[in-house]
């Protein structure tokens, strides 16, 4: 018979369709709480805890200078676990029922400016060879599609349809979506595929983006690539694939795209997620309004 943890793991994987990374993070948090509970309350079974014990763990984490964001993530894991136990009737009362998340400061992502993108494209205007051509395509693909880093890394050869100018990506919870490719970068795809064909002994042949050794790209490689490129044109502290995704959304909204369209392109399940990106477009709108309104002349 499966343990509650094993059943929870299957539930996250099969019903919720969470990624392996997310499932592992949830289970890791539960194991951490088990360890804490055993050490402080001499209790092996966390199925029978009360909120006071959970609260003690929160206090312990805060005392260890764990950030509120990280604490909230651990509590979200516990909340999901006990909600599951309630659902399968393993407990009668959810100990997390009245829990409230710790307050966290709002972090506003600062996108790259349009000028920074123009400056970068001028610097890498004429890439030569497999790696330069691949790297420029990666930057352009992030900026023109808003795709996530994991979506780009896991993009498959069979899901790139240049004849229809679309790519199919696998997003969060294994949700597929189609993203249009701008005509301006189709030639870059052709150039990359031509160079890719010259790579010998491709190990991970199903993946679209590979290294010169024929291997699937790693998340750390893609992060370093974006950071390195944008360090040439930007003084911003954070320079990452996610900032490029944020830039994609902000520039679309600044240039008149509607929120629902941006939501679909980003693969968000709700408008609330997309509205995070409206801060900077609102600032731009205020600037236009202030400069244009007759009463402000």
């Amino acid at each position: 018979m499966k343990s509650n943890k094993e059943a929870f793991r299957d539930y996250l994987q099969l019903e919720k369709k969470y990624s392996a990374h997310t499932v592992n993070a949830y289970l890791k948090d539960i194991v951490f709480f088990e360890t804490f509970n055993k050490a402080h309350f001499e209790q092996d079974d966390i199925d029978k805890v009360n909120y006071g014990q959970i609260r003690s763990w929160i206090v312990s984490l805060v005392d260890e200078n764990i950030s509120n964001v990280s604490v909230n993530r651990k509590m979200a894991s516990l909340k999901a676990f006990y909600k599951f136990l309630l659902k399968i009737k393993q407990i009668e009362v959810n100990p997390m029922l009245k829990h409230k998340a710790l307050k966290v400061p709002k972090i506003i992502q600062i996108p790259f400016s349009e000028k920074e993108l123009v400056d970068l494209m001028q610097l890498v205007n004429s890439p030569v060879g497999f790696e330069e051509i691949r790297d420029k395509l990666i930057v352009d693909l992030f900026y023109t599609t808003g795709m996530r880093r994991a979506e780009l890394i896991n993009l498959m050869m069979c899901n790139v349809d240049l004849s229809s100018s679309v790519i199919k990506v696998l997003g969060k919870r294994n949700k597929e979506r189609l993203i249009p490719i701008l005509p301006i970068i189709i030639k870059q795809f052709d150039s990359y595929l031509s160079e890719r064909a010259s790579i010998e002994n491709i190990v991970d042949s199903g993946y679209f983006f590979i290294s010169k050794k024929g291997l699937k790209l790693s998340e750390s490689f893609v992060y370093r690539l974006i950071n390195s490129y944008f360090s040439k044109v930007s003084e911003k502290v954070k320079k990452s694939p996610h900032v490029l995704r944020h830039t994609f959304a902000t520039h679309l909204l600044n240039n008149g795209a509607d929120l629902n369209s941006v939501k679909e392109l980003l693969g968000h399940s709700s408008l609330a997620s997309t509205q995070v990106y409206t801060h900077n477009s609102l600032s731009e709108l205020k600037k236009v309004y202030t400069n244009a309104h007759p009463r402000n002349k």
Side-chain angles (χ1 to χ4, degrees), residues 103-162:
K103 289 185 178 180
V104 295
K106 274 193 174 181
I107 299 174
I108 299 171
Q109 293 278 5
I110 301 175
F112 298 116
S113 66
E114 292 187 33
K115 182 181 183 305
E116 285 172 330
L117 266 300
V118 170
D119 289 346
L120 179 62
M121 290 307 139
Q122 288 176 344
L123 276 177
V124 293
N125 191 37
S126 304
V128 177
F130 170 73
E131 290 183 301
E132 286 188 9
I133 290 171
R134 176 201 62 197
D135 294 352
K136 184 176 187 299
L137 177 57
I138 287 174
V139 175
D140 270 337
L141 202 54
F142 273 133
Y143 178 54
T144 59
T145 66
M147 64 199 306
R148 300 177 178 92
R149 175 171 54 175
E151 292 170 347
L152 180 134
I153 291 168
N154 293 308
L155 181 63
M156 306 303 289
M157 288 287 288
C158 61
N159 289 335
V160 176
D161 186 353
L162 296 182

Side-chain angles (χ1 to χ4, degrees), residues 7 10 32 47 57 104 106 115 119 154 158 181 212 226 251 275 278 280:
D10 291 347
F32 279 157
D47 298 357
W57 189 38
V104 295
K106 274 193 174 181
K115 182 181 183 305
D119 289 346
N154 293 308
C158 61
I181 305 170
K212 62 182 179 182
I226 298 303
H251 289 184
Q275 284 170 338
T278 62
N280 292 286

Side-chain angles (χ1 to χ4, degrees), residues 111-114 250-256 277-292:
F112 298 116
S113 66
E114 292 187 33
T250 302
H251 289 184
L252 280 181
L253 291 166
N254 283 348
N255 286 280
Y277 300 101
T278 62
H279 173 82
N280 292 286
S281 56
L282 182 59
S283 299
E284 189 70 20
L285 186 60
K286 284 179 178 177
K287 192 188 302 180
V288 172
Y289 168 71
T290 303
N291 292 335

Side-chain angles (χ1 to χ4, degrees), residues 33 114 116 122 147 162 188-189 202-203 242 244-245 289:
F33 179 55
E114 292 187 33
E116 285 172 330
Q122 288 176 344
M147 64 199 306
L162 296 182
Q188 290 185 55
F189 273 87
I202 298 178
V203 179
H242 186 71
L244 257 183
R245 177 172 161 85
Y289 168 71

Side-chain angles (χ1 to χ4, degrees), residues 25-277:
Y26 273 54
L27 295 176
K28 192 175 179 181
D29 290 335
I30 291 166
V31 169
F32 279 157
F33 179 55
E34 278 183 327
T35 303
F36 172 86
N37 199 54
K38 187 173 182 178
H40 290 79
F41 298 100
E42 298 180 350
Q43 183 182 21
D44 292 324
D45 192 356
I46 62 167
D47 298 357
K48 297 178 175 63
V49 303
N50 56 53
Y51 185 64
Q53 290 165 267
I54 296 170
R55 183 70 186 170
S56 294
W57 189 38
I58 295 172
V59 172
S60 172
L61 292 170
V62 171
D63 286 344
E64 291 173 21
N65 293 319
I66 306 296
S67 72
N68 284 8
V69 171
S70 294
V71 172
N72 284 343
R73 197 211 70 218
K74 293 178 189 301
M75 292 309 111
S77 299
L78 281 191
K79 196 171 184 178
F81 179 61
Y82 288 117
K83 190 175 179 181
F84 169 72
L85 293 185
L86 195 66
K87 181 178 181 179
I88 63 172
K89 300 186 181 341
Q90 289 296 302
I91 58 174
E92 294 181 1
V93 178
N94 183 347
M96 293 289 290
L97 189 62
K98 295 183 179 180
H99 172 74
K100 291 184 179 179
L102 302 183
K103 289 185 178 180
V104 295
K106 274 193 174 181
I107 299 174
I108 299 171
Q109 293 278 5
I110 301 175
F112 298 116
S113 66
E114 292 187 33
K115 182 181 183 305
E116 285 172 330
L117 266 300
V118 170
D119 289 346
L120 179 62
M121 290 307 139
Q122 288 176 344
L123 276 177
V124 293
N125 191 37
S126 304
V128 177
F130 170 73
E131 290 183 301
E132 286 188 9
I133 290 171
R134 176 201 62 197
D135 294 352
K136 184 176 187 299
L137 177 57
I138 287 174
V139 175
D140 270 337
L141 202 54
F142 273 133
Y143 178 54
T144 59
T145 66
M147 64 199 306
R148 300 177 178 92
R149 175 171 54 175
E151 292 170 347
L152 180 134
I153 291 168
N154 293 308
L155 181 63
M156 306 303 289
M157 288 287 288
C158 61
N159 289 335
V160 176
D161 186 353
L162 296 182
S163 62
S164 300
S165 298
V166 294
I167 56 176
K168 183 194 292 182
V169 299
L170 191 64
K172 289 185 175 181
R173 302 186 188 183
N174 294 323
K175 186 179 177 182
E176 291 184 343
R177 73 182 186 281
L178 295 175
I179 307 178
I181 305 170
L182 291 181
I184 196 170
I185 63 168
I186 289 290
K187 285 184 179 179
Q188 290 185 55
F189 273 87
D190 290 333
S191 298
Y192 168 71
L193 287 171
S194 177
E195 291 288 336
R196 187 186 186 281
S198 66
I199 301 292
E200 296 181 3
N201 302 319
I202 298 178
V203 179
D204 296 321
S205 58
Y207 291 96
F208 187 78
F209 287 110
I210 56 172
S211 69
K212 62 182 179 182
K213 293 182 179 179
L215 300 171
K216 175 188 175 185
L217 300 182
S218 69
E219 291 197 358
S220 58
F221 171 84
V222 175
Y223 179 90
R224 290 195 305 271
L225 167 65
I226 298 303
N227 190 279
S228 173
Y229 264 58
F230 280 91
S231 292
K232 300 171 185 175
V233 296
S234 177
E235 297 295 324
K236 290 181 175 63
V237 174
K238 192 168 184 182
K239 298 177 278 287
S240 67
H242 186 71
V243 174
L244 257 183
R245 177 172 161 85
H246 182 71
T247 301
F248 162 82
T250 302
H251 289 184
L252 280 181
L253 291 166
N254 283 348
N255 286 280
D258 69 275
L259 203 58
N260 266 310
S261 297
V262 176
K263 167 185 170 289
E264 293 302 316
L265 288 167
L266 291 172
H268 284 160
S269 57
S270 70
L271 270 180
S273 300
T274 316
Q275 284 170 338
V276 172
Y277 300 101

